[in-house]
Amino acid sequence: MKPFMPRKPADYESRLKELDEKQEAIELKKKVRDREIQLGLRRDWKKPAWSKAMMILIFAVCIEIIIYSEWVMFTRYDLSALYALIGVPAAMFGVFWTYCEKSKAENTKGGITYDTAMKKMEPDNNESDIDPGDGVG
């Protein structure tokens, strides 16, 4: 978008009118979407959890490694491809397991993310924590 360089008051007015029309169009689209959701004509699909997407990816890569290793073993009559069958999926599974454990620890009660979210929801009542009778001096 080009920077707006007005030269006369009419330019300001036309630019404000243009921006107001854009804002009205955005608000109308939002109202239509909210009404469609309310009537059940549109659904908001939940995004899959990141851990589920990672599990699917790891599963697909493991299947690909198995198929490739079997192909190599059958075409070359060599069992050295078994190294890939054993090592790569085991390493990928270990990384995924660590990620899931970290995520579980953060998103449960007592975890960093959970506690931070709960603190944001609590109102700040700093005055109630201070006892005026225990002053020094």
Side-chain angles (χ1 to χ4, degrees):
M1 185 172 200
K2 292 190 286 185
F4 181 63
M5 302 294 263
R7 298 203 172 144
K8 43 189 159 174
D11 291 342
Y12 282 114
E13 292 172 8
S14 64
R15 179 68 175 157
L16 286 174
K17 185 177 179 183
E18 181 183 326
L19 291 174
D20 287 340
E21 289 173 357
K22 285 182 180 179
Q23 184 63 32
E24 287 177 9
I26 291 170
E27 289 174 4
L28 182 62
K29 285 181 182 179
K30 187 178 183 311
K31 285 181 183 178
V32 168
R33 181 181 174 148
D34 291 343
R35 183 66 177 158
E36 286 177 346
I37 290 172
Q38 185 181 19
L39 294 174
L41 300 174
R42 179 185 288 208
R43 290 186 181 174
D44 283 337
W45 298 101
K46 290 173 64 176
K47 293 180 182 177
W50 181 248
S51 59
K52 291 179 185 174
M54 288 297 296
M55 184 59 134
I56 291 170
L57 178 70
I58 289 173
F59 182 74
V61 169
C62 289
I63 294 297
E64 180 183 4
I65 290 170
I66 290 170
I67 291 170
Y68 173 75
S69 298
E70 289 177 352
W71 178 76
V72 168
M73 286 187 286
F74 286 131
T75 57
R76 298 188 180 172
Y77 303 107
D78 184 20
L79 295 178
S80 64
L82 286 175
Y83 291 116
L85 272 175
I86 295 169
V88 175
M92 291 176 74
F93 183 75
V95 170
F96 176 71
W97 186 269
T98 305
Y99 168 77
C100 287
E101 289 297 318
K102 178 195 78 76
S103 179
K104 183 175 75 171
E106 283 183 349
N107 297 326
T108 56
K109 192 170 186 174
I112 297 168
T113 308
Y114 179 84
D115 289 343
T116 305
M118 290 296 116
K119 284 182 182 177
K120 286 181 182 177
M121 292 177 64
E122 293 176 1
D124 290 335
N125 293 332
N126 293 338
E127 294 83 23
S128 64
D129 294 341
I130 301 172
D131 187 10
D134 292 340
V136 177

